[in-house]
Every structure is written in structure tokens, then in C-alpha cells.
Amino acid sequence: MILIITIFVCVFVTVIYYFNVNKNYWKIRNVVQVNYAAWDFFLGKCSLPEVYRNIYNAYPNENYVGMFFNSKPVLVLKNLEDIRAVLKDSHCFHSRGYYVNDKEDLVDNLLLMNDYQRWKLVRQKITPVFTIKKLKSMSHSIYQCSDSLIDYIKDYQCEKNKSVYEKFNFVAIGSSIFGLDFITKNALQSPIVNALCKPLPFFHRCLFSLKLIISIQFPILLKVLNIKIFDDYKNLILEVIQKVSECRQETPGKRDDYIDMYMEIQNDESIQDASGYKVNIDQFVASQAFSFFVAGVETTASAVDYTLLELANNKHILQKVHKEIDGIFHEYKELNYNNVESMEYLDKILSEALRKYPPIGSMQRIATEDAILPSNFKVNKGIYVIIPIYALHMDAKYFEEPDKFDPDRFSSDNINKIKKYTYLPFSEGNRICIGAKYARLHMKIMLAVLAV
């Protein structure tokens, strides 16, 4: 009994200490400090980008505001020079600060990698997948898949729009980037798509959320307890990549896609970890593939969903873009890279939707070393800094009447008036989204098909 009480007291004291150790962290550094702001997010009252926006708006004259994510000090940046410095600094702010279990295969990707030298190596290997030449080929695959999207919507009208768009994104990304044979009438009903899109049961959702919290607050436990966040998808992703590769080896000719890149580097000795150890190429390529799905499926579905919502609420904009899209179909009969890129008004609509509803509403970086910001504030090693994208996009200083949906903000006359680092739908700097051009092409094809 005494042992149990002793353990309880030790745990209680540890918890109290943990949540109070940094209690006045920002105050003693003469930074405006906001306490308990993150609880609105934890309690489900609002999203994390909305938390940051509320803080951003509450202190209009500050360059930065200090807050806490539980006990961790977090600095919300407002000064554009500070934001520029953080996004472009490959020395002190290259890490996104996501801690994962190194033994988990699918986390060895561009999204989660913290080793900057290794990240640069991987980025160099993957960048050629998204050249203009290859995007032109991808546009054909995306458009061919769109027939299955229209058929599915007709057959399953009761399903939520966003869910349908996510399934299409799996199909289009799988076909255009990974060479999966999804160009069929029932592509959205494919077993692979259903397996990847299947909602997690309540218990698994709670367990997944718990793992994420542990990765942020107690990253050491990931290794001690060997917790793997994404392991449920490992075998499926590996199986898909290996099957497509085997099929490609039996079929002569090149498609210049991700699988061709995979086949080229299978015997490449340059894919190594920081210690020089040669990594498993199958697992390496599968982890990059997984990151494309994670980064591209839900985000593009949300962007398309919000864009169509705005078109439905702004009939004059809808009529104008209808005319542009109808003109393209009348002249070319089908969509390709060149005619999609020629639709200037559709491009402005998408840009404005990404401003008002950024798929990624905030970004974080962690200081890997002590750093001095341009505003002359010292950020200590291990401190998180936040770029509040949603708050910047909705700041009336940078975008007049920010709640108004106005595609003409991005006209040729106005786009150069937008201040650098106030519009960040795909980030900026060294870790700008590698698939940004593909994402815009993908979404514009979706919108052109759905809006007619």
C-alpha cells in the first residue's frame, strides 16, 4: 500500500512539475505570453490554425507572441522578415520538429525527415518526378481518371462530396505518379482505394490521436515503447509499389513516373542514412509514396470542396469560369497540361480558394540551434516557432476584405502587389512543397470537370 501511494505521489509531482516548469518562459523574456490557448484545440472548439489566428489578431502591434502546447513553449511569428528567415534558414530551422520512431519504415520521407543532409539527398532524387515534361504526361492520366469520378458521383449521390474527392485523389495520384492501372469505370471502388480510404474505427482513431500526442509531448516514449504511428499501412503500400514495379519490368518502355525512378535507384549506392548505412530501397520508396498520399489526398479534397462551395455562392464567378471551361472543351474536346494552364480565370479562382481556405493552415519549425531572428529576438535551441498561414491569409493589412471571395486579387495587375510571405498555400523557402505544381494541375482538372 505504501509503495502504491509513493508511486502515485511521484507521478503526481512529476505531472505538476512538467506542466509548470516553463510557466513563465515567455514573460521572463519580455514576450507577450498567452496561457491555455491550445486548450480550445484540445477540447475541439476550434482548429489549431484558428487558435493561432486568434492570438495573431489579439496582438496587432507585436512581432511575435508566446504560447504553450501543453508545457512546450511555442513562438507564433507575425513579422514577415522573421517568417522569411525561418523558412529560408537551412541551418537552424530546417526541421519541422515531428518526432517519430526511427524503426518505423513509412516515416523515412520528405515530410517527416529531420536529417537535413539526408533530406537534401532524397529531395534531389525525387524532384525530377515533377518536371514540366512529366506533368504533361500526368495531366493525361488525371483527366482519364475523371470519367470514373463523374460515374461514381452519379451512382453514389448520398456520399459526402469530400469523401468522394479523396477517393478520386487516391486514384489520380496512384495512376499519374505511381502508374497504377486505375483508368477503369469502377476505379473509385477499387479494393486498394477502399482499403486506404476506409475510416478508422473509433477505438483506432483514439489510439492514433494518442500516438500523435505522445510523439509531440513525450517523443522518447516512441522509442522506449516502440510505438509505430503508421504501421497499419506499411504492408499495403509496399505490396502496391512492388507489384507495379514487377509489372513494369515485364513491360518494355518508360512512363517517366515515380516507379521508373524507383527502378533506376534500386542499385544506387547513394541512398544512405546519416551514418552511411545503405537503406532498404523498397521501404525507402514506399515511404516516399506514402508521404505523397498523406500530403496530397485530404488537402486537395478540402481545397476542391471549398472552391466549389464558393462557386455555388458566387453565381457571377461561376458563370465566368463556366464560359472559360466550355471554350476549352469546345476547342480541344479533352483536357491536357497546356489547355489547363491556359485557363487563367480558373487559376485565379483556385489561388483565391487556397488563400481563404489554406489546406495547411499553419507550419511549425523547431530551432536545431540557438538563432537570432531579424527582429533581434533570440530563439533558443529546441523551441518551436509557428508560421500562422491562415492568419496571414486573412489579415486585412495584406488582403483587403479578407472574408470576401475575390479571384481578381490574383489578376496580372494585382498579383505583384501581394507581399512576399503573406501567401503560403504550399509554404516557401527550402522546404516548399515538392508537389505544388502537380497539386495545382490536379485540382484544376478536377474543378474543370466538376464545374461544367
Side-chain angles (χ1 to χ4, degrees):
M1 185 66 181
I2 295 176
L3 179 61
I4 294 175
I5 294 174
T6 302
I7 294 173
F8 176 80
V9 171
C10 289
V11 170
F12 179 76
V13 170
T14 301
V15 170
I16 295 298
Y17 172 78
Y18 176 79
F19 282 99
N20 285 276
V21 63
N22 291 316
K23 184 177 181 180
N24 295 310
Y25 184 89
W26 296 116
K27 286 182 180 179
I28 62 178
R29 288 165 174 78
N30 295 317
V31 175
V32 172
Q33 177 172 309
V34 180
N35 296 318
Y36 311 116
W39 280 103
D40 285 341
F41 166 68
F42 288 124
L43 296 174
K45 294 181 179 180
C46 62
S47 67
L48 205 51
E50 287 174 310
V51 170
Y52 297 141
R53 187 193 179 195
N54 292 339
I55 292 173
Y56 181 100
N57 291 339
Y59 301 95
N61 299 320
E62 301 296 328
N63 284 325
Y64 35 73
V65 179
M67 60 170 288
F68 300 92
F69 207 73
N70 287 342
S71 69
K72 291 184 179 294
V74 174
L75 189 67
V76 180
L77 301 181
K78 298 182 61 181
N79 181 287
L80 296 184
E81 283 301 306
D82 290 346
I83 291 172
R84 180 198 63 79
V86 167
L87 291 178
K88 293 183 73 68
D89 188 338
S90 60
H91 183 62
C92 297
F93 292 103
H94 61 80
S95 174
R96 289 192 170 105
Y98 297 120
Y99 294 102
V100 290
N101 186 344
D102 294 337
K103 295 179 181 179
E104 185 170 3
D105 299 316
L106 293 183
V107 301
D108 185 30
N109 59 59
L110 289 175
L111 284 178
L112 301 173
M113 212 174 272
N114 288 317
D115 181 334
Y116 183 64
Q117 295 304 318
R118 177 165 170 71
W119 176 87
K120 283 203 303 183
L121 174 65
V122 174
R123 177 108 176 182
Q124 289 168 1
K125 293 290 181 183
I126 295 178
T127 296
V129 173
F130 297 104
T131 61
I132 297 298
K133 177 184 175 182
K134 292 177 182 178
L135 287 175
K136 289 181 178 180
S137 175
M138 291 177 186
S139 68
H140 179 68
S141 296
I142 299 169
Y143 181 66
Q144 284 189 304
C145 291
S146 66
D147 287 341
S148 65
L149 172 62
I150 300 303
D151 290 337
Y152 191 89
I153 290 174
K154 290 177 180 177
D155 294 339
Y156 296 90
Q157 295 182 19
C158 61
E159 189 168 344
K160 291 182 179 179
N161 289 345
K162 187 166 175 285
S163 173
V164 175
Y165 303 154
E166 287 177 354
K167 289 183 178 179
F168 172 76
N169 291 342
F170 271 114
V171 168
I173 292 173
S175 175
S176 60
I177 298 180
F178 302 106
L180 301 179
D181 186 15
F182 275 138
I183 304 174
T184 61
K185 179 178 175 63
N186 299 317
L188 271 69
Q189 296 172 280
S190 161
I192 295 175
V193 174
N194 287 330
L196 290 170
C197 290
K198 184 179 179 181
L200 291 173
F202 177 76
F203 174 76
H204 285 82
R205 290 201 305 272
C206 293
L207 185 60
F208 181 77
S209 298
L210 179 60
K211 290 178 180 179
L212 289 179
I213 292 172
I214 291 173
S215 72
I216 295 171
Q217 294 298 320
F218 311 103
I220 189 66
L221 291 181
L222 291 178
K223 295 182 179 180
V224 173
L225 302 178
N226 195 27
I227 296 173
K228 297 181 179 181
I229 301 175
F230 305 109
D231 213 41
D232 291 343
Y233 300 99
K234 171 188 169 182
N235 292 334
L236 179 59
I237 296 291
L238 273 172
E239 182 182 354
V240 169
I241 295 295
Q242 289 169 347
K243 280 187 176 180
V244 175
S245 174
E246 290 168 4
C247 180
R248 194 72 61 84
Q249 288 173 340
E250 297 171 0
T251 306
K254 290 187 67 175
R255 287 186 54 165
D256 282 332
D257 58 8
Y258 185 79
I259 298 299
D260 278 349
M261 181 212 72
Y262 162 47
M263 294 168 66
E264 289 172 4
I265 68 172
Q266 277 183 310
N267 298 314
D268 191 340
E269 296 297 324
S270 65
I271 301 296
Q272 303 172 347
D273 66 13
S275 65
Y277 175 74
K278 184 77 161 55
V279 302
N280 182 296
I281 293 297
D282 287 342
Q283 292 179 354
F284 166 80
V285 173
S287 66
Q288 309 313 315
F290 178 67
S291 72
F292 287 144
F293 285 118
V294 169
V297 169
E298 197 277 335
T299 52
T300 52
S302 293
V304 168
D305 200 25
Y306 281 122
T307 305
L308 292 174
L309 177 64
E310 286 290 353
L311 290 178
N313 290 328
N314 294 274
K315 300 297 184 184
H316 63 291
I317 296 175
L318 178 60
Q319 290 172 359
K320 189 173 179 179
V321 76
H322 258 169
K323 185 176 179 181
E324 182 179 64
I325 296 170
D326 287 344
I328 292 294
F329 275 114
H330 178 75
E331 183 174 355
Y332 297 100
K333 308 306 178 186
E334 66 177 40
L335 299 178
N336 59 46
Y337 177 85
N338 290 327
N339 58 41
V340 169
E341 291 300 297
S342 73
M343 289 190 275
E344 296 180 359
Y345 196 61
L346 179 62
D347 189 75
K348 290 189 288 186
I349 287 172
L350 178 59
S351 294
E352 173 66 349
L354 293 174
R355 178 199 68 82
K356 192 173 178 183
Y357 308 101
I360 305 297
S362 61
M363 288 182 295
Q364 70 177 36
R365 295 288 187 270
I366 189 170
T368 55
E369 295 184 16
D370 291 351
I372 305 294
L373 297 177
S375 59
N376 205 33
F377 181 75
K378 180 181 179 181
V379 179
N380 292 330
K381 180 180 178 179
I383 296 301
Y384 284 89
V385 296
I386 301 296
I387 294 91
I389 297 173
Y390 178 55
L392 291 165
H393 286 195
M394 299 299 287
D395 190 335
K397 287 188 303 184
Y398 306 129
F399 299 97
E400 188 176 349
E401 296 184 90
D403 290 315
K404 180 181 178 182
F405 188 79
D406 182 12
D408 287 328
R409 297 180 201 275
F410 295 89
S411 67
S412 56
D413 292 334
N414 292 328
I415 194 166
N416 291 328
K417 298 176 184 177
I418 298 175
K419 286 188 177 182
K420 190 76 170 173
Y421 300 101
T422 62
Y423 181 67
L424 301 167
F426 297 103
S427 184
E428 276 290 350
N430 296 311
R431 297 195 74 153
I432 189 171
C433 175
I434 193 173
K437 291 181 179 178
Y438 170 83
R440 292 189 68 95
L441 175 68
H442 178 122
M443 288 186 284
K444 284 190 283 188
I445 292 176
M446 282 186 73
L447 290 169
V449 169
L450 292 168
V452 293

